[in-house]
Amino acid sequence: METLTQSATIIQLRTWEDLYTEHLHQTYDAPATIEAAQQHVRVFIKWFENKFSQPFTPEQITNYALRQYQKESLDIARVSPNTWNSRLWGLTIFTNWIEATYGASFSNLITGLKNKEQGIRPSAYRSLSDKEIHDLMQQLERNIRGSASAFE
């Protein structure tokens, strides 16, 4: 009885996700940094697929899509400045990798996207209204005039 054996050729296809993950591991040492960068890309991809009703591939990314993502993140989802700045950091890493991997036609993807300033943080104290400021200043001026006449 003859046994035929075929050597199976295993072809391992690597996805862009695999290549990007490999890039992150080569670039960053801290697992938390790698996970944060991947998480920001996952959030963007989920938004992209919901917004444009198509599966995401790096070839489809545009500056327009990134600007729309920023606008919706800040104006509709109202993410905090820290969250947006962290997302922008992750997207910058991702778009730089896309440019290096897919070529110069993908340069400047992140152009026009900016960090969000912290602004004034809310406090337990509120600002005075114009009327309250007026009343306070009026009382202060009366007190000053009254004290000046007391020493005359």
Side-chain angles (χ1 to χ4, degrees), residues 96-116:
N96 288 342
W97 174 79
I98 289 172
E99 181 181 352
T101 304
Y102 293 91
S105 62
F106 289 95
S107 64
N108 302 319
L109 284 172
I110 212 83
T111 300
L113 276 70
K114 296 187 175 162
N115 280 331
K116 175 77 175 157

Side-chain angles (χ1 to χ4, degrees), residues 82-134:
N82 285 340
T83 299
W84 171 251
N85 294 344
S86 187
R87 286 181 181 180
L88 183 57
W89 164 81
L91 288 171
T92 301
I93 294 168
F94 185 54
T95 57
N96 288 342
W97 174 79
I98 289 172
E99 181 181 352
T101 304
Y102 293 91
S105 62
F106 289 95
S107 64
N108 302 319
L109 284 172
I110 212 83
T111 300
L113 276 70
K114 296 187 175 162
N115 280 331
K116 175 77 175 157
E117 294 297 322
Q118 293 292 331
I120 299 172
R121 294 186 177 188
S123 69
Y125 305 102
R126 66 173 181 83
S127 299
L128 296 175
S129 69
D130 287 341
K131 182 181 179 339
E132 290 170 324
I133 293 171
H134 173 74

Side-chain angles (χ1 to χ4, degrees), residues 36-80:
Q38 289 174 318
Q39 176 62 24
H40 293 306
V41 171
R42 281 192 298 269
V43 170
F44 171 75
I45 290 170
K46 183 177 178 182
W47 171 86
F48 182 95
E49 291 177 344
N50 288 334
K51 180 75 173 177
F52 300 111
S53 301
Q54 61 184 355
F56 176 83
T57 62
E59 294 92 349
Q60 295 171 315
I61 197 167
T62 61
N63 180 262
Y64 172 78
L66 290 165
R67 285 175 179 254
Q68 285 296 110
Y69 179 62
Q70 178 181 26
K71 182 174 177 30
E72 289 187 23
S73 293
L74 295 173
D75 298 343
I76 296 170
R78 301 189 57 78
V79 299
S80 73

Side-chain angles (χ1 to χ4, degrees), residues 131-151:
K131 182 181 179 339
E132 290 170 324
I133 293 171
H134 173 74
D135 292 345
L136 183 64
M137 295 305 292
Q138 189 177 34
Q139 187 63 41
L140 182 63
E141 288 180 20
R142 281 188 200 139
N143 290 346
I144 291 172
R145 274 188 249 135
S147 64
S149 61
F151 291 107

Side-chain angles (χ1 to χ4, degrees), residues 3-18:
T3 308
L4 290 174
T5 57
Q6 293 181 340
S7 75
T9 304
I10 299 173
I11 299 173
Q12 183 178 3
L13 299 176
R14 294 174 19 167
T15 64
W16 69 263
E17 292 101 331
D18 296 333

